[in-house]
């Protein structure tokens, strides 16, 4: 596949400069993910990484080219490797069985869950501001239970109910479904996939922000008062 290179933080395609680059405080970090049809998990994973100090403003390359992926500082949802020390966060390899913790034995992690597991506390504080360790640990688990696990489960084909139970109606407005509809149709040549991926990142980030703010600023304080 031909690689796709974009600067998502600025909302425009990245042009390669021919002359010397201007002086920078530090080298721009690079995030790699797969090209082609995108899904909710890698869109959210990339958005979460942009909330961290290390990967804020990082360039995103969408490709399946192994040689290009080697050049990335972090890779999500592609590459068939899970190696946190090297910042490789894929879950598609056959031997992958990791879950969020021992209490979540059914749902394997997607790329969103992997990034949340390793960077989640920092992302939560980027949204809410500093929190003490007790509240942060509670938030970390509550947000997984009430948001991230859904992304992991859908991406891994884990249903909310047993397969023999026939749903009484169809649900087509989940976050994953809305992200899926941002992919260009096979016969639509007007939409640019990379631009649509930016919209998917923004959509998943807005959803996560609203949920985290609700839990962190309302539900958790109320629970602390009751306690």
């Amino acid at each position: 596949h031909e690689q796709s290179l974009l600067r998502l933080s600025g909302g425009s395609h990245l042009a390669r400069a021919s002359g010397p680059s201007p002086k920078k405080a530090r080298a721009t970090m690079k995030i790699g993910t797969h090209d082609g049809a995108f899904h909710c998990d890698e869109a959210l994973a990339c958005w979460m990484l942009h909330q961290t100090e290390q990967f804020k403003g990082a360039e995103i390359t969408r490709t399946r080219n192994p040689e290009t992926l080697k050049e990335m500082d972090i890779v999500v949802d592609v590459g068939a490797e899970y190696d946190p020390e090297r910042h490789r966060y894929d879950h598609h390899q056959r031997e992958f069985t990791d879950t969020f913790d021992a209490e979540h034995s059914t749902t394997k992690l997607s790329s969103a869950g992997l990034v949340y597991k390793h960077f989640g506390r920092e992302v939560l504080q980027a949204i809410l501001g500093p929190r003490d360790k007790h509240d942060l640990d509670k938030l970390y688990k509550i947000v997984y239970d009430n948001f991230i696990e859904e992304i992991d489960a859908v991406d891994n084909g884990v249903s909310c109910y047993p397969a023999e139970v026939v749903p009484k109606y169809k649900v087509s407005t989940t976050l994953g479904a809305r992200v899926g509809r941002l992919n260009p149709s096979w016969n639509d040549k007007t939409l640019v996939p990379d631009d649509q991926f930016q919209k998917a990142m923004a959509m998943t980030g807005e959803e996560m922000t609203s949920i985290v703010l609700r839990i962190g600023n309302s539900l958790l304080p109320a629970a602390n008062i009751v306690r």
Side-chain angles (χ1 to χ4, degrees), residues 44 143-151 175 207-208 211:
L44 180 60
V143 171
Y144 185 79
D145 288 343
N146 289 275
F147 179 57
I148 303 292
E149 187 175 17
E150 174 191 338
I151 312 302
L175 181 58
E207 192 91 357
M208 181 170 185
I211 289 171

Side-chain angles (χ1 to χ4, degrees), residues 149-171:
E149 187 175 17
E150 174 191 338
I151 312 302
D152 289 344
V154 170
D155 196 73
N156 285 296
V158 180
S159 177
C160 284
Y161 42 80
E164 62 271 16
V165 176
V166 179
K168 295 185 180 296
Y169 56 88
K170 294 185 181 297
V171 178

Side-chain angles (χ1 to χ4, degrees), residues 18-54:
S18 56
S21 59
K23 202 170 185 179
K24 296 182 185 177
R26 63 179 180 181
T28 302
M29 302 296 280
K30 297 177 181 179
I31 300 170
T33 191
H34 64 81
D35 57 0
F38 50 80
H39 311 99
C40 188
D41 69 314
E42 78 267 17
L44 180 60
C46 289
W47 182 87
M48 284 192 286
L49 289 173
H50 270 178
Q51 312 315 304
T52 68
E53 187 61 33
Q54 186 174 6

Side-chain angles (χ1 to χ4, degrees), residues 121 124-125 128-140 216 220-221 224 227:
R121 289 178 173 85
L124 293 174
Q125 292 189 103
L128 288 165
R131 296 291 167 118
D132 64 50
K133 185 180 184 307
H134 179 265
D135 276 0
L136 187 59
D137 287 346
K138 288 183 71 173
L139 279 164
Y140 180 64
L220 188 58
N224 287 338
R227 185 189 63 191

Side-chain angles (χ1 to χ4, degrees), residues 71-83:
E71 301 171 5
M72 302 294 107
D73 297 293
I74 186 168
V75 176
V76 298
D77 211 42
V78 68
E81 287 184 275
Y82 173 41
D83 184 353

Side-chain angles (χ1 to χ4, degrees), residues 208-220:
M208 181 170 185
T209 298
S210 67
I211 289 171
V212 170
L213 288 174
R214 176 72 171 170
I215 294 170
N217 291 338
S218 179
L219 301 183
L220 188 58

